[in-house]
Amino acid sequence: MSHSVSSSQDFDCQSCGACCAYSADWPRFSLETDEELDRIPAEYVAADLGGMRCENDRCTALDGTLGRFVACKIYAVRPIVCRTCMPGDDECLMARARHFGAAA
């Protein structure tokens, strides 16, 4: 049985969090229904209502310390862009490189 070099098993999202602290422009709402958006607590929604509220590029729904242990406070109702980011994909690798260096 062979394993790819960057299989999703190599990426422990709960000890990373880089994708949730990459850019204030990244956690934008896109195809969510009004019902889905209504489930996101208002304190985590940006003032322009276009995405998640961020402080210094970090989503305010991210709890914990990057690179150690993190968790999403609204994981069950997180936006589509958060659901589609997959361990080891291009967005993941860009965010990890920004926070932890290219060798991350």
Side-chain angles (χ1 to χ4, degrees), residues 18-97:
C19 61
C20 303
Y22 179 71
S23 167
D25 294 326
W26 191 74
R28 305 305 293 171
F29 301 144
S30 58
L31 302 173
E32 290 83 2
T33 64
D34 288 341
E35 292 78 20
E36 288 171 322
L37 293 175
D38 287 344
R39 288 189 209 117
I40 299 172
E43 68 262 29
Y44 301 122
V45 177
D48 70 1
L49 306 179
M52 297 299 291
R53 182 184 312 272
C54 292
E55 293 175 5
N56 299 319
D57 291 338
R58 180 181 167 135
C59 179
T60 56
L62 183 66
D63 197 21
T65 303
L66 288 184
R68 301 192 85 195
F69 178 79
V70 294
C72 177
K73 297 175 191 174
I74 63 157
Y75 188 80
V77 296
R78 70 197 185 282
I80 291 170
V81 69
C82 305
R83 294 173 188 273
T84 59
C85 184
M86 289 290 126
D89 70 9
D90 289 343
E91 289 79 12
C92 166
L93 297 177
M94 279 191 317
R96 289 174 60 87

Side-chain angles (χ1 to χ4, degrees), residues 10-12 16 18 91-102 104:
D10 297 333
F11 298 94
D12 178 6
C16 183
E91 289 79 12
C92 166
L93 297 177
M94 279 191 317
R96 289 174 60 87
R98 176 175 179 195
H99 286 285
F100 309 117

